[in-house]
Amino acid sequence: MNPLSVIRVGICGLGTVGQGVWKHLERIRPELESRLGVKLELTRASVRDLKKRRDVKVPASKLTTDSLSIAMDPNVDIVCELIGGTTLARQVTLAALTAGKVVVSANKALISKHGAEIFEAARRHGGHFLFEASVAGGIPIIKALREGLVANRFPLIYGILNGTCNYILTQMEEQDAPYTAVLGEAKRLGYAEADEALDVQGWDTAHKAAVLTFLAHGTWVKPEQMIVEGIDRITPIDFKNASALGYGIKLLAVIARDFDTDELSVRVHPTLLPESHVVAKVSGVFNAVSVRGDVAGTTLYIGRGAGQDATASAVISDLVDAISLLKNDRRAFITARKASAPARPVRACRLAPSEHIRGRYYLRMTVSDEPGVLAQIAAAMAAKNVSIASVIQSAQEPAGAASLVLTTHQSDERAIQATLSRLARLRCVLERPLLLRIGDFAD
Ligand code: NAP
Ligand code: HSE
């Protein structure tokens, strides 16, 4: 650290999150400086387009298009990577860590894809990588898992991890609003990723699930190894059907480990939750994370999961940790972090095979409205040993078609996927059935 106790921060990316960090850091700088006993300097920032109009005033002399120059600048102590994506963001992160700097990141896609390399680079070069903003926006879930709940093992973590999807689902359910209009609004509000397919197809939730899995179980699970299904095939009719059955629909990440067998399953899918369940009542951009610990029991975290201010709050919390790290007792801070990081799990776990992932299911399909159809469908399900719990049939456009909604008793992923393939081959099934899981969470 320089002798004047000035901490110099470089911000790579001045979009939704970067501008939020700049705005709030400028606002609370006097208070932070007094609390931390340092001078805080927003030294440089990088953008793609120098001419773009921004909501924060940044002197032209501090702006560059060269993010790597900030990462390697000896006059920058802390680098905030708020660019997004996995190419330039990775280069910036590795360059800054290699230079021994602290990197603060909100980039779950990057961590999910390159986390192992990034943590290794931090370890090897004495840099540090902090990532509170990468999961669940303003909720301090990383701190909760890593520090507050350090005494626990985690048999079950589940919740809503994507603000955009929860906003869309809520608007569809409550306002009967069309999907594309609500997605446009989520983008305008700064909730969505630059590539919104990451949100609606479930990949952003999978990236966050990978980060939580690493923290809870010390292992990296790639999104391609998870069940990942998004919300883009859900229609207003599904909310009506779910409601008739007593459920709401939420996009959930589920991270479940059986500590007897050490089998782990990580999955992301729209889920029917009983309307009375507290997570089913979490609406709009809010996220909810339920964490079952074997010592503490279940704790639940609810807060804004996306957007400028909530995310800036999480980034600034990491910045304060980074400043403490640089200013105070570097060794004590590192020791504390190491003690709570799950870099080397004591007990390895492996991914559960699909036949061990059990649950109940909701199936919606459009079928031809003619005699014998129900019998064919029941036979296809019975052939895979999937037992039907309830049936709702209603007339549907075009004439001669019907909408059929089935729920099942307990089955498993292998059986239900085999059933889906069988159903899709029936001539009376007019389009690919929609499969939703039913969430049976006791707490
Ligand atoms: P954004 O609004 O698209 O901002 C990205 C910023 O990076 C922009 O300022 C852009 O410059 C800059 N940039 C892009 N490519 C660049 C390049 N080649 N060189 C220099 N600068 C470049 O994105 P965001 O919503 O702030 O998200 C940033 C990160 O935070 C992502 O990893 C995202 O997943 C994560 N995150 C976002 C939220 C949220 O609610 N938005 C919440 C949690 C985490 P220009 O402005 O000139 O285009
Ligand atoms: N696009 C993300 C979301 C941003 O909607 O949750 C927060 O990570």
Side-chain angles (χ1 to χ4, degrees):
M1 215 184 81
N2 64 68
L4 292 172
S5 281
V6 177
I7 302 279
R8 297 149 309 177
V9 180
I11 299 188
C12 297
L14 266 186
T16 302
V17 181
Q19 291 184 79
V21 172
W22 191 284
K23 175 179 77 178
H24 287 291
L25 263 185
E26 286 294 19
R27 186 179 56 79
I28 57 168
R29 189 174 17 178
E31 198 178 318
L32 284 184
E33 287 182 342
S34 134
R35 272 168 64 172
L36 295 163
V38 294
K39 293 292 286 176
L40 199 55
E41 194 179 283
L42 285 167
T43 308
R44 297 178 67 196
S46 69
V47 292
R48 188 171 29 199
D49 178 359
L50 290 170
K51 296 210 176 81
K52 199 186 260 185
R53 225 190 67 73
R54 298 184 197 273
D55 294 336
V56 292
K57 281 202 174 55
V58 180
S61 59
K62 293 193 175 188
L63 273 183
T64 177
T65 54
D66 184 358
S67 303
L68 273 172
S69 74
I70 296 182
M72 293 187 291
D73 187 339
N75 291 317
V76 169
D77 303 300
I78 302 170
V79 175
C80 296
E81 186 280 291
L82 304 171
I83 301 168
T86 57
T87 308
L88 178 60
R90 171 174 168 268
Q91 292 166 357
V92 164
T93 301
L94 291 176
L97 290 174
T98 304
K101 298 184 196 299
V102 184
V103 176
V104 173
S105 175
N107 193 336
K108 55 272 175 170
L110 177 74
I111 306 171
S112 161
K113 190 165 180 193
H114 298 295
E117 180 188 28
I118 288 169
F119 287 107
E120 175 54 21
R123 193 196 58 75
R124 188 158 358 107
H125 299 287
H128 292 276
F129 184 74
L130 309 180
F131 50 100
E132 185 61 67
S134 66
V135 183
I139 302 174
I141 189 65
I142 307 290
K143 266 202 162 69
L145 282 179
R146 189 151 68 174
E147 297 173 23
L149 295 170
V150 71
N152 292 260
R153 299 190 304 180
F154 303 105
L156 180 65
I157 299 173
Y158 68 93
I160 301 166
L161 299 182
N162 186 276
T164 301
C165 288
N166 207 42
Y167 180 79
I168 293 173
L169 292 176
T170 305
Q171 293 294 316
M172 283 174 74
E173 182 175 19
E174 291 178 0
Q175 315 290 337
D176 217 0
Y179 175 87
T180 41
V182 189
L183 174 58
E185 186 62 3
K187 286 166 77 170
R188 195 188 61 75
L189 291 166
Y191 301 158
E193 295 302 303
D195 172 7
E196 74 255 17
L198 291 173
D199 294 298
V200 297
Q201 293 177 3
W203 298 109
D204 176 76
T205 302
H207 295 150
K208 292 164 177 167
V211 176
L212 294 186
T213 302
F214 172 67
L215 287 170
H217 303 291
T219 187
W220 290 107
V221 178
K222 295 187 174 68
E224 306 80 65
Q225 297 172 291
M226 307 174 189
I227 294 169
V228 180
E229 291 170 15
I231 62 163
D232 42 353
R233 291 194 61 219
I234 293 177
T235 65
I237 191 76
D238 294 305
F239 290 105
K240 293 197 178 88
N241 292 329
S243 172
L245 294 162
Y247 294 99
I249 305 175
K250 295 292 176 191
L251 181 71
L252 294 189
V254 182
I255 304 162
R257 176 164 173 178
D258 179 332
F259 279 94
D260 292 330
T261 61
D262 277 323
E263 283 185 354
L264 174 72
S265 81
V266 186
R267 48 196 200 268
V268 172
H269 43 64
T271 308
L272 269 64
L273 276 180
E275 279 165 344
S276 58
H277 194 294
V278 61
V279 175
K281 298 181 203 292
V282 172
S283 61
V285 73
F286 281 72
N287 283 187
V289 193
S290 170
V291 180
R292 190 181 298 164
D294 63 345
V295 181
T298 297
T299 51
L300 178 65
Y301 309 82
I302 296 175
R304 288 176 195 279
Q308 185 170 76
D309 293 339
T311 313
S313 164
V315 170
I316 291 170
S317 127
D318 274 347
L319 271 170
V320 168
D321 276 357
I323 292 164
S324 308
L325 164 62
L326 293 171
K327 176 184 174 280
N328 297 320
D329 185 350
R330 193 178 176 109
R331 207 175 322 148
F333 188 94
I334 294 167
T335 309
R337 280 226 175 259
K338 278 200 174 138
S340 55
R344 284 174 203 278
V346 180
R347 279 169 56 169
C349 52
R350 63 188 168 280
L351 289 177
S354 58
E355 64 269 29
H356 290 181
I357 303 174
R358 294 188 58 75
R360 297 190 297 130
Y361 299 88
Y362 161 108
L363 279 165
R364 172 174 57 77
M365 55 198 119
T366 305
V367 297
S368 34
D369 196 1
E370 59 193 26
V373 165
L374 216 47
Q376 288 180 55
I377 286 166
M381 297 181 72
K384 292 295 162 193
N385 214 17
V386 176
S387 168
I388 296 171
S390 71
V391 182
I392 309 174
Q393 183 176 336
S394 50
Q396 189 190 301
E397 295 292 326
S403 170
L404 198 61
V405 172
L406 305 172
T407 63
T408 75
H409 290 294
Q410 277 279 329
S411 182
D412 64 71
E413 283 294 326
R414 188 155 84 170
I416 201 72
Q417 293 301 341
T419 303
L420 274 184
S421 305
R422 238 183 146 90
L423 288 171
R425 285 200 298 273
L426 292 178
R427 252 180 1 103
C428 62
V429 175
L430 303 178
E431 62 181 26
R432 187 159 62 96
L434 174 78
L435 175 75
L436 302 179
R437 277 79 180 170
I438 300 177
D440 290 313
F441 304 110
D443 49 21

